[in-house]
């Protein structure tokens, strides 16, 4: 991987972490106002382990951000119910159908990829960011995470 690609990936991850910072928590319970955390719909892919879970409260729901890492250093960050500009600055790389039958834009190049989509409801804004992947390995990993249907 080139130094420019590593820097781009690091900047994107840092930007997302700052922009989507929420309450660090591993709680599954409701917040004091009664809003429940969004359900992730994300299955930890084989070879990855969860490294973080943040809750981001909004008036009508609680968004979540999950982080995962593999033994070989690849990273995944999954967002549910957190609005934002996912993949900003990355080139378009087509559209992908997600498991719910919806379609979302795939953006990325080299080793940094983002898939985002919109489902109904307050938790409907969804995105997955991956670093350390080729396009095909990112999509295969999203299959194992139950995000995209089997190809």
């Amino acid at each position: 991987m080139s130094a420019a690609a590593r820097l781009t990936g690091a900047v994107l991850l840092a930007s997302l972490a700052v922009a989507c910072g929420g309450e660090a928590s591993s709680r599954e319970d409701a917040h004091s106002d009664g809003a429940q955390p969004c359900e992730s719909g994300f299955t930890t892919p084989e070879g990855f382990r969860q490294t973080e879970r943040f809750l981001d409260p909004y008036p009508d729901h609680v968004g979540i951000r999950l982080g995962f890492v593999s033994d070989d250093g690849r990273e995944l960050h999954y967002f549910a119910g957190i609005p934002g500009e996912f993949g900003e600055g990355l080139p378009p790389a087509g559209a992908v159908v997600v498991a719910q039958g919806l379609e979302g834009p795939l953006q990325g190049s080299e080793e940094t990829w983002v898939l985002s989509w919109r489902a109904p409801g307050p938790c409907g804004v969804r995105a997955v960011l991956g670093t350390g992947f080729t396009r095909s390995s990112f999509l295969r990993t999203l299959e194992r995470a139950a995000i995209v249907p089997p190809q």
Side-chain angles (χ1 to χ4, degrees):
M1 172 167 56
S2 71
R6 280 192 300 273
L7 179 59
T8 299
V11 168
L12 286 169
L13 285 174
S15 297
L16 283 171
V18 170
C20 299
E23 170 189 328
S25 174
S26 61
R27 296 181 314 162
E28 292 291 332
D29 57 349
H31 274 239
S32 60
D33 63 1
Q36 294 288 326
C38 296
E39 291 189 25
S40 74
F42 187 94
T43 301
T44 305
E46 185 177 332
F48 284 80
R49 61 181 160 58
Q50 188 172 337
T51 57
E52 65 182 6
R53 181 175 190 277
F54 292 93
L55 300 180
D56 197 3
Y58 294 89
D60 58 347
H61 71 283
V62 178
I64 60 170
R65 180 181 67 183
L66 305 173
F68 303 87
V69 68
S70 67
D71 290 338
D72 61 0
R74 294 175 298 157
E75 291 185 31
L76 289 170
H77 297 272
Y78 177 77
F79 303 83
I82 300 176
E85 294 292 325
F86 296 100
E88 187 174 284
L90 290 173
V96 173
V97 174
V98 296
Q100 296 96 346
L102 304 169
E103 189 174 271
L106 178 66
Q107 297 169 268
S109 65
E110 296 188 32
E111 293 193 359
T112 301
W113 299 92
V114 175
L115 175 63
S116 58
W117 66 99
R118 174 83 176 144
C123 292
V125 176
R126 304 286 173 130
V128 181
L129 177 134
T131 58
F133 295 90
T134 63
R135 182 185 197 275
S136 61
S137 69
F138 180 62
L139 293 175
R140 282 192 312 271
T141 300
L142 294 184
E143 275 184 42
R144 295 192 325 264
I147 299 299
V148 301
Q151 304 296 310

